[in-house]
Amino acid sequence: MGSSVEELSISLEHDIDEQYQYQPGEIVRGNIHVKTNRRTVVRTISISVHGQGVVAWEDPDYGSFNADEEYINASQIVRQHSKHDPLVIDKGFHTFPFDYQLPTNLPSSFIGKFGSVTYVLKAVIQGERPGETSITSEPFLVLRRAPLPEKSRQSAGANTEKRFWSKLRSGKIKVQIEVSKLGATPGEDIIICAEVANKSPVRVTAVQACLLMNSLYHAKQRAIPFRQIVNKRRDEYELLRGDGRRWQNVRLTVPPYIPETALEFCDIIEITYFLQFRVETSGGKEIRLELPILIGSRPAGLELPANGHEGGNSYNRQWNTMTKDFPFQKELPPQIPEQPTWHDGLIPEMRGKDSTMVNPLFSKQPVQEQVRMHSEPEHDEIMETTKL
């Protein structure tokens, strides 16, 4: 809008880590902040909320595959100019509040290698003359908390053994593992107890437990999978024949910003989780045990109030579906946009295997400063060598 608008921004009122994290059905409250350097006549001040899912990949044999879904596309006129009541903004700072209740059928935010689910607010100030327009946007997270079945909070285990040969000698490596639960909420710890017994002629070089996310992307009746490590504990210790390794109360933290199992209400991306326990050997072979893990919420205590807000305040019902006449419709991204830039290129599935996945929208907070939710009593972690 020429040089009259010096600053335009959106701030949201929320109390979860100050990182704009919402549940479906929750009210998004915020303010549009404007700084002008002179007295300005404005035609409209508008806010919109847009949520979409996109999938795209290239196949060397079959070409391009893409798909998209729209979850929210609503708009609101916050302030509007009229013949009898012109909208004039004096020089200085101004704040315009807004609110919007999210639909209850939204999928969680997600950014992966071949697709994403993203949500963004966009504010527009349109002046009297064509071309006098200022636009800003602010992303936010939606994290659905699907209740976990009670049986998923119980412990579970698995065991296996495998025979190895070396220099005409053979022997077995035996592995057993027990986890404190098969269902967890983001931020919680999964407690692992495990034993490795090496009665083979090969050396065990490392033991590793990791939480795996399997994502499956759908487009044009085809699908492409991708598997990533979202967190791991690695124990590099050499075990010769006759040695064993014992884990007691080893904690594997579920990252705080990952979507729930299945990514409900998204038809183009599926998500499942596994806890993998792996034993690596000097010959390059390995032993793997995998247990399915459900990610969701506790059965009770995290539900939204029936009215969508603790204080019972009303919310603005004057939002509407966007139309071609809306002043910034042309600014919306195409159906298959390029990877969004507001997450600074930090695609979780492309991070190094040694890094824990954190909130892709707000990655400035160090991992070690994030709060963990401990549902089990504190016990000392032990990784020790034993003799068989």
Side-chain angles (χ1 to χ4, degrees), residues 47-328:
I47 186 78
S48 72
V49 58
H50 187 239
Q52 68 172 359
V54 295
V55 165
W57 75 88
E58 295 288 334
D59 188 289
D61 298 321
Y62 299 100
S64 299
F65 291 87
N66 51 66
D68 67 281
E69 294 180 327
E70 187 173 81
Y71 311 117
I72 312 175
N73 195 359
S75 64
Q76 178 194 38
I77 302 297
V78 178
R79 293 288 297 275
Q80 190 170 19
H81 173 93
S82 69
K83 292 182 180 180
H84 305 290
D85 184 21
L87 178 55
V88 179
I89 299 178
D90 292 328
K91 178 182 177 180
F93 290 93
H94 304 271
T95 297
F96 302 92
F98 65 88
D99 54 46
Y100 174 69
Q101 184 168 26
L102 297 171
T104 57
N105 60 343
L106 297 180
S108 294
S109 300
F110 174 71
I111 298 178
K113 184 174 183 181
F114 300 114
S116 63
V117 175
T118 57
Y119 298 89
V120 65
L121 288 160
K122 181 180 287 186
V124 175
I125 296 182
Q126 190 172 41
E128 284 190 298
R129 295 185 296 272
E132 291 184 339
T133 302
S134 295
I135 303 174
T136 189
S137 61
E138 185 69 40
F140 64 95
L141 283 175
V142 172
L143 290 179
R144 174 173 291 280
R145 291 292 174 248
L148 294 168
E150 190 61 36
K151 64 179 182 180
S152 71
R153 310 294 290 183
Q154 300 173 359
S155 62
N159 61 82
T160 189
E161 59 182 40
K162 186 176 181 179
R163 183 173 294 275
F164 291 86
W165 292 81
S166 178
K167 298 180 180 179
L168 303 179
R169 295 186 300 167
S170 72
K172 293 181 178 180
I173 296 178
K174 297 182 179 181
V175 182
Q176 68 178 51
I177 178 175
E178 182 176 352
V179 297
S180 58
K181 54 199 168 190
L182 292 176
T185 65
E188 277 191 318
D189 291 327
I190 298 174
I191 308 300
I192 302 171
C193 294
E195 289 195 19
V196 179
N198 185 11
K199 297 182 179 180
S200 77
V202 301
R203 289 179 292 113
V204 171
T205 57
V207 176
Q208 175 177 292
C210 62
L211 182 62
L212 296 172
M213 174 194 286
N214 291 341
S215 46
L216 185 64
Y217 304 86
H218 297 271
K220 297 181 180 179
Q221 298 182 337
R222 296 182 69 91
I224 184 170
F226 191 81
R227 173 174 278 205
Q228 69 178 100
I229 294 175
V230 296
N231 200 8
K232 72 177 182 180
R233 295 295 304 272
R234 187 168 177 83
D235 180 18
E236 294 188 355
Y237 196 94
E238 189 173 88
L239 302 179
L240 302 177
R241 187 177 189 129
D243 289 338
R245 191 71 170 165
R246 179 185 296 124
W247 281 17
Q248 289 183 315
N249 304 318
V250 174
R251 296 179 179 271
L252 181 66
T253 302
V254 178
Y257 299 109
I258 60 175
E260 80 287 354
T261 297
L263 200 61
E264 191 177 4
F265 296 108
C266 178
D267 295 328
I268 56 178
I269 304 173
E270 298 178 46
I271 293 177
T272 54
Y273 296 92
F274 291 88
L275 189 144
Q276 182 191 89
F277 190 79
R278 186 170 72 190
V279 178
E280 302 173 7
T281 70
S282 57
K285 296 182 180 181
E286 59 187 33
I287 300 175
R288 295 186 181 186
L289 284 172
E290 290 189 357
L291 295 171
I293 299 292
L294 293 176
I295 302 300
S297 67
R298 296 180 184 275
L302 295 182
E303 295 83 1
L304 286 172
N307 62 6
H309 190 265
E310 291 283 346
N313 296 330
S314 63
Y315 58 90
N316 196 323
R317 298 177 180 273
Q318 298 176 356
W319 291 70
N320 55 70
T321 303
M322 296 183 66
T323 67
K324 294 181 179 179
D325 297 329
F326 200 73
F328 54 92

Side-chain angles (χ1 to χ4, degrees), residues 1-5 8 38-45 124-135 327 330:
M1 196 170 136
S3 60
S4 61
V5 175
L8 177 61
R38 64 172 181 264
R39 196 168 184 265
T40 305
V41 178
V42 174
R43 187 159 55 142
T44 59
I45 300 176
V124 175
I125 296 182
Q126 190 172 41
E128 284 190 298
R129 295 185 296 272
E132 291 184 339
T133 302
S134 295
I135 303 174
K330 61 183 179 180

